[in-house]
Amino acid sequence: QVCRGLRTPRLPVWLCSVAGRHGVLFGTDSRLLSDWKMERVFHLYFYNGQREQTETAHLTIDTHSHHWEEDGCEDPRSPGKRRPSVEMVIRTKWAGATVSWNGTDPFF
């Protein structure tokens, strides 16, 4: 029998398979699970346990960013416009969100 804590987590946690590697995307604010207003600007952390990742990536998610804030001069197919796979995973839940890596070099 699965305990109640596993059926209803107290903190937001997602197990991800990104580019063939497994990782954990999680938050430390339990209000993100129960209050939709918390989904404006919030923090998530990503860890995959790979040797090249020496510390957990701290990400800031903004779900109310505007498409006109992005650099419109760049062709979306150009290498500079490509997004890391972790950002694309986040956008499966929060379409159009911007992701700040807070000084960490984006990976995946």
Side-chain angles (χ1 to χ4, degrees):
Q1 183 177 16
V2 176
C3 79
R4 213 173 99 186
L6 292 176
R7 291 185 306 229
T8 308
R10 293 187 179 157
L11 295 172
V13 176
W14 296 273
L15 299 176
C16 308
S17 178
V18 181
R21 296 182 180 179
H22 294 88
V24 178
L25 186 65
F26 62 96
T28 57
D29 188 349
S30 63
R31 295 176 295 171
L32 191 57
L33 291 171
S34 60
D35 186 358
W36 63 269
K37 291 176 270 184
M38 295 304 299
E39 292 187 16
R40 166 71 170 84
V41 175
F42 55 95
H43 303 279
L44 292 178
Y45 301 88
F46 183 76
Y47 184 73
N48 66 2
Q50 299 295 320
R51 253 182 286 190
E52 61 269 9
Q53 186 181 2
T54 57
E55 59 185 48
T56 303
H58 173 212
L59 310 172
T60 301
I61 316 302
D62 183 353
T63 60
H64 286 86
S65 59
H66 301 97
H67 67 278
W68 59 81
E69 292 173 345
E70 292 189 36
D71 184 7
C73 302
E74 203 171 343
D75 182 357
R77 294 174 301 253
S78 71
K81 198 66 169 175
R82 292 184 185 148
R83 302 283 186 228
S85 299
V86 173
E87 290 185 27
M88 300 311 291
V89 166
I90 291 168
R91 288 190 181 120
T92 63
K93 174 132 176 83
W94 296 283
T98 59
V99 179
S100 170
W101 287 74
N102 299 310
T104 302
D105 289 331
F107 51 88
F108 276 95

